[in-house]
Amino acid sequence: MTAKIISGTETAKAIREELKAEIAELKEKHNVVPGLVTILVGEDPASQSYVTAKNKTAHALGINSKQVTLSADTSEDDLLALIDKYNKDDACNGILVQLPLPKHINEGRVLYAINPVKDVDGFHPVNVGKMVLGEQCFLPCTPHGVLELLIRSGIETSGAEVVVVGRSNIVGKPMVNLMLQKREAGNATVTVCHTRTKDMASHTRRADIIIAAAGVPKMITADMVKEGVVIIDVGVNRIGMSESGKAILVGDVDFDSVKEKAAAITPVPGGVGPMTITMLMKNTVQAARQAAGWI
Ligand code: GUN
């Protein structure tokens, strides 16, 4: 079996076209332009490229997006003051602080400071709590993107054995929660594997769907999966530089060998990555609609 390639690039493109039309209509009918502020602290090259991509996409869709870049030695108080400023700014519907933050800044304190109605990353405990309860909220962008990919690729999750590899706050934990909910792309039987899991292959071999978010290059190999598995690879690992100076990226799954056994698989790059950015745009539009009184 050679796997069907699940293209995040194509799916994201389709959603972005829908959003572009929605944003144009918001402006035309209601004079509402969604506003997003992205805040980057420091010079981590991966974070820089993610934030640049987020702003570029926002502009292309008609979102009023502003990027604020702060030096790595910015104090926590200065960052909190900036968040407070945008919490009070009506033109700003969404605030995103790129993670990870420098070690001297308390991540929890920063994320808690963002007004939950502007928390387009879905990281504030109010949104996390609502997500767990299945209430209307901002869903975190990467897990949200995975759900959309599954739905739009026609992959049945109801009753499926889903194995999530990784337990981060950004991907693993919300992914587990979303996939067990009574909702579209939910109703799965979910197992979560992590660094302390004994015999991970015994779990992954049972999986109908594997969602790999461990941050370990090519960790899932062909001998760890069953024939016909669906693979969603969230990993983006930089393993070097090409001659032209571009980062060489690989996922958490050994794509070349696993694609021979899988029914469907996301590539890296071009899989989950474009979906994450697109769901940020979707959340920003949702925030603008809410701020304008649920138009
Ligand atoms: N760092 C890695 N992924 C993300 C994300 O989805 N949002 C933010 N703010 N930082 C990240």
Side-chain angles (χ1 to χ4, degrees), residues 28-49:
E28 202 172 304
K29 286 200 181 151
H30 304 280
N31 202 25
V32 166
V33 178
L36 173 69
V37 171
T38 59
I39 302 172
L40 172 65
V41 187
E43 281 145 26
D44 175 65
S47 292
Q48 275 176 339
S49 75

Side-chain angles (χ1 to χ4, degrees), residues 65-79:
S65 175
K66 181 179 163 73
Q67 180 173 340
V68 181
T69 304
L70 304 173
S71 65
D73 60 359
T74 298
S75 71
E76 188 178 299
D77 283 349
D78 284 350
L79 178 56

Side-chain angles (χ1 to χ4, degrees), residues 26-143:
L26 275 177
K27 184 162 171 44
E28 202 172 304
K29 286 200 181 151
H30 304 280
N31 202 25
V32 166
V33 178
L36 173 69
V37 171
T38 59
I39 302 172
L40 172 65
V41 187
E43 281 145 26
D44 175 65
S47 292
Q48 275 176 339
S49 75
Y50 292 140
V51 171
T52 302
K54 288 169 186 180
N55 279 283
K56 207 172 138 192
T57 306
H59 283 138
L61 297 189
I63 290 172
N64 188 4
S65 175
K66 181 179 163 73
Q67 180 173 340
V68 181
T69 304
L70 304 173
S71 65
D73 60 359
T74 298
S75 71
E76 188 178 299
D77 283 349
D78 284 350
L79 178 56
L80 292 173
L82 187 69
I83 291 170
D84 189 48
K85 177 182 139 184
Y86 287 114
N87 276 341
K88 291 176 178 148
D89 179 352
D90 288 342
C92 165
N93 303 117
I95 302 171
L96 175 141
V97 178
Q98 187 65 26
L99 303 178
L101 286 165
K103 295 268 179 293
H104 67 278
I105 297 179
N106 183 315
E107 189 177 291
R109 219 173 281 149
V110 169
L111 296 179
Y112 285 29
I114 297 171
N115 185 338
V117 302
K118 298 192 178 191
D119 171 37
V120 284
D121 251 330
F123 292 165
H124 191 285
V126 164
N127 283 313
V128 175
K130 286 184 174 179
M131 178 201 68
V132 172
L133 295 171
E135 290 179 18
Q136 166 80 38
C137 63
F138 295 114
L139 296 181
C141 301
T142 301

